[in-house]
Amino acid sequence: MKTWTLAAVSLLALGAVAPAGAAELPLYKAPVAPVLAYDWSGVYVGINGGGGWAHACWAVTNSLGAAVDPPIGEGCHNAGGGTIGGQLGYRWQRGRWVLGVEGQGNWADFKGSNVSVVLAPQTNQTKIDSFGLFTGQMGYAVNSLLLYGKAGAAVAHDKYDIFFPGLPAFNSVNQTRWGYSIGIGVEWGFAENWSVGGEYNHVFLGHHNSDFATLTGGFLPRTDRIGQDIDMGLIRINYRWGNPVVAKY
C-alpha cells in the first residue's frame, strides 16, 4: 500500500513540474519556403511568326492625265497571309511595372485583290512583303507573367499591281509606307532567361497616292489614292540577358 501511495505522489509531482519546464523551452519555427521572383529587366532578342491581313481600298484620283474629283472608288480587298521575323528590345522593371522599347522586322506574304468596280475586268492587287515596328511598351508583371501594351511607328513595303485576269500585270508601283501601330500582348517566363507569348498589333498606314504612270511603258496611266491598314497575330519566343530569378523570403 505504501508503495502505491508513493508512486501516486511521484506522478503528481512530475505533472506539476513538467508544464513549467515546457514553458521555458524555445518554440520551434519551421523555415519559410522561398518565393522565386522573376525580373523582366534586361536586353532580349527573339523570333516571331504568325499571320496577318491588310485591308486596302483604292480610288481613282487621276486618269489619263485628267484629275478625278471627287475620287471614284474601285472597291476594297483583304490581303492576307503568313509572316516571320525577329525582335530586339530592352525592358526595365520597377516593382510590378515594366517599361520597354523594341524594334521588330518581318518578312511577309500578305496578298489580295478585287476586280475594279468602275474599270472591270481590270483587277487591282495589293501585296505586302515586309514590315517593321518601332514601339515603346508598358506592362504589368505578376511574377513570371507579363501583360503589356505597345505603341509606336510602323513601316511597310507594298507592291500594287494592275492586271487583266489571266494576264501578267501591265502597271505596277512599289511603295514604302509609314504609319503608326498599337498592340497588346502577354508573355510568360517559362525558364530563367526564356519567355514565350502572344501578341496582336494593328497598323494604321493611312491614305497615300500611288502614281501608276511613273513607270516607263506604263499602260493606261492613272493615280489611285489607296487607304490601308494591317491586323496581325504573332507568337513570340524571347531570350533575355538581365537580372536572374532570385529567391525572396
Side-chain angles (χ1 to χ4, degrees), residues 110-147:
F110 303 162
K111 182 164 48 176
S113 63
N114 71 280
V115 176
S116 172
V117 174
V118 294
L119 299 172
Q122 196 169 284
T123 300
N124 302 328
Q125 178 176 275
T126 300
K127 180 178 181 181
I128 298 175
D129 56 24
S130 61
F131 64 87
L133 305 177
F134 310 92
T135 56
Q137 295 182 2
M138 177 176 285
Y140 186 81
V142 182
N143 205 1
S144 60
L145 182 67
L146 176 65
L147 307 174

Side-chain angles (χ1 to χ4, degrees), residues 214-237:
T214 57
L215 298 181
T216 303
F219 179 58
L220 296 178
R222 76 173 197 256
T223 300
D224 268 66
R225 184 167 174 79
I226 301 176
Q228 186 175 333
D229 56 12
I230 307 172
D231 292 279
M232 69 188 79
L234 303 172
I235 299 297
R236 297 156 41 107
I237 298 177

Side-chain angles (χ1 to χ4, degrees), residues 14-108:
L14 183 60
V17 173
E24 295 175 0
L25 294 176
L27 295 177
Y28 175 76
K29 187 177 181 181
V32 178
V35 177
L36 296 181
Y38 196 94
D39 192 332
W40 289 91
S41 299
V43 176
Y44 64 91
V45 64
I47 59 174
N48 70 77
W53 52 99
H55 186 69
C57 294
W58 297 36
V60 180
T61 60
N62 188 292
S63 181
L64 302 176
V68 178
D69 190 18
I72 300 176
E74 293 194 74
C76 303
H77 57 263
N78 292 319
T83 180
I84 188 171
Q87 61 273 351
L88 173 67
Y90 174 78
R91 287 176 176 145
W92 179 64
Q93 181 171 350
R94 282 297 177 269
R96 290 190 180 273
W97 295 100
V98 180
L99 301 177
V101 292
E102 182 181 280
Q104 176 182 328
N106 277 53
W107 292 275

